[in-house]
Amino acid sequence: MSALTPAGGANPHKASARQTELIDGEIARSLLDQLLDDSRLYRNGSDYHALLDFVVRLRNFAPFNAMLLQIQKPGLSHAASAPDWRDRFDRHIKDGARPLLILRPFGPVALVYDVLDTDGAALPSGIAAFTAEGDMTPGVLDACSRKLVGKGIEWSCVDAGDNLAGSIQLLVRSTNPEVPSRYRMRVNRNHDVNVQFATLTHELGHLFLGHLGADKYLNIPNRPRLELRQRELEAESVAYIVCGRNSVENNSKTYLADYVTEGTTAGNLDLYQVMRATGQVETLLGLAARTRFERPTKPNAAAH
């Protein structure tokens, strides 16, 4: 029996998507922890704000990958894969250009390039092809609310005063990874649609950050024992990124300023969890980034 074949003859190539996701998560976590420890980045409030703004700006990348790019090349304005530069912008990669590494979904790594390492046609104003859809509309918000139902999250509009934006509550916890738990999302119906979207992303941030406990069905870690300050900073960071990447204005800057000051270190923040949760919220709401990558090339069997 091959050393790569598990007992019982199971095919190693038929690992479940959940197992693959867990493995990818462990690799990503290990990579990020080492990068942050080696670089000593994001130790104060101003650096943390700059990181969030960078992730907002690179809307064509998943939040975690945008952070990896910021660590590798601070000051980067725009990046894309070689196919995107060629087919969407009529630009080619310069000879000798240094690629940047990001994690490929369900694979090892992918290569992308800084705009400064490309030549070709002039770029469109604001790199419009990279941006998400415009302002939030009732129709888009309604579509988001319907996506929640399939994941066991009940949507409820409540008649409340201006100081109550919304909340999320665990109703029934499931320990079966194939059965969703049940939650209730409350959103103030008297608020503007943009405020409602910001509330939605903030409360989903709490959920996917594990502030309500573990959820095997949604691949959520168990992280309930955090101070209020950390929980609110993490959840509002998620809302800040998702809203910013979808042209939704909210009061996150003021809100975050209440929790992060110039003297506040980011040592007690879990940046991996923030970026992971942000990506999960975007995926759940159908707002995930779309960047095309080159297909991995297989080794030439004849060469062996």
Side-chain angles (χ1 to χ4, degrees):
M1 179 183 294
S2 169
L4 296 178
T5 304
N11 188 339
H13 300 293
K14 293 184 178 180
S16 68
R18 190 177 301 276
Q19 289 174 318
T20 302
E21 186 174 323
L22 289 174
I23 293 171
D24 288 346
E26 291 172 359
I27 294 172
R29 183 58 188 261
S30 175
L31 173 64
L32 179 60
D33 284 346
Q34 181 175 348
L35 283 171
L36 292 177
D37 186 61
D38 290 348
S39 61
R40 309 297 293 176
L41 294 173
Y42 316 122
R43 297 298 180 181
N44 59 61
S46 60
D47 286 346
Y48 185 65
H49 273 294
L51 168 64
L52 297 186
D53 287 337
F54 182 88
V55 175
V56 166
R57 191 167 68 249
L58 260 68
R59 304 178 190 182
N60 57 317
F61 291 100
F64 183 84
N65 279 330
M67 183 169 63
L68 289 182
L69 292 175
Q70 162 71 351
I71 292 173
Q72 294 176 77
K73 196 167 187 179
L76 178 74
S77 60
H78 297 290
S81 63
D84 274 346
W85 283 128
R86 180 184 64 242
D87 300 335
R88 295 170 63 183
F89 300 102
D90 193 23
R91 296 179 69 85
H92 63 271
I93 310 302
K94 296 178 181 178
D95 290 340
R98 180 171 64 89
L100 302 170
L101 294 178
I102 61 174
L103 295 182
R104 179 195 300 272
F106 305 107
V109 297
L111 305 181
V112 297
Y113 297 87
D114 183 355
V115 62
L116 298 179
D117 289 325
T118 68
D119 277 324
L123 294 173
S125 177
I127 314 290
F130 280 164
T131 61
E133 294 296 324
D135 294 339
M136 185 56 48
T137 66
V140 173
L141 185 64
D142 181 63
C144 289
S145 68
R146 284 186 273 109
K147 287 182 172 67
L148 301 181
V149 177
K151 300 298 183 180
I153 307 171
E154 170 191 319
W155 175 270
S156 175
C157 285
V158 296
D159 185 7
D162 188 58
N163 287 332
L164 180 61
S167 63
I168 188 166
Q169 173 189 9
L170 172 67
L171 299 178
V172 179
R173 187 181 303 282
S174 170
T175 57
N176 186 338
E178 305 302 323
V179 178
S181 297
R182 289 178 51 215
Y183 303 90
R184 177 175 292 129
M185 172 75 68
R186 292 187 176 93
V187 176
N188 190 339
R189 72 184 186 190
N190 299 315
H191 280 168
D192 173 84
V193 65
N194 291 285
V195 178
Q196 290 184 31
F197 181 78
T199 299
L200 169 64
T201 56
H202 179 97
E203 299 304 329
L204 286 177
H206 279 303
L207 173 63
F208 283 98
L209 284 160
H211 298 167
L212 278 67
D215 187 318
K216 294 182 179 180
Y217 180 82
L218 294 175
N219 190 25
I220 296 173
N222 185 38
R223 304 178 63 243
R225 298 184 181 278
L226 302 175
E227 293 183 357
L228 174 63
R229 184 183 187 89
Q230 183 174 351
R231 294 199 306 271
E232 290 303 314
L233 175 57
E234 289 184 350
E236 194 59 23
S237 296
V238 171
Y240 182 84
I241 295 172
V242 177
C243 286
R245 283 156 67 99
N246 290 277
S247 303
V248 174
E249 292 290 335
N250 67 355
N251 64 346
S252 285
K253 284 186 179 293
T254 302
Y255 194 99
L256 288 170
D258 291 338
Y259 289 96
V260 183
T261 65
E262 289 298 322
T264 300
T265 67
N268 63 336
L269 294 177
D270 195 327
L271 288 176
Y272 169 75
Q273 295 295 352
V274 169
M275 297 302 161
R276 179 199 57 78
T278 302
Q280 287 181 296
V281 170
E282 287 189 335
T283 299
L284 173 62
L285 299 180
L287 305 171
R290 293 289 183 267
T291 299
R292 297 181 307 158
F293 304 110
E294 298 278 15
R295 290 183 176 274
T297 57
K298 295 182 179 181
N300 188 347
H304 296 284

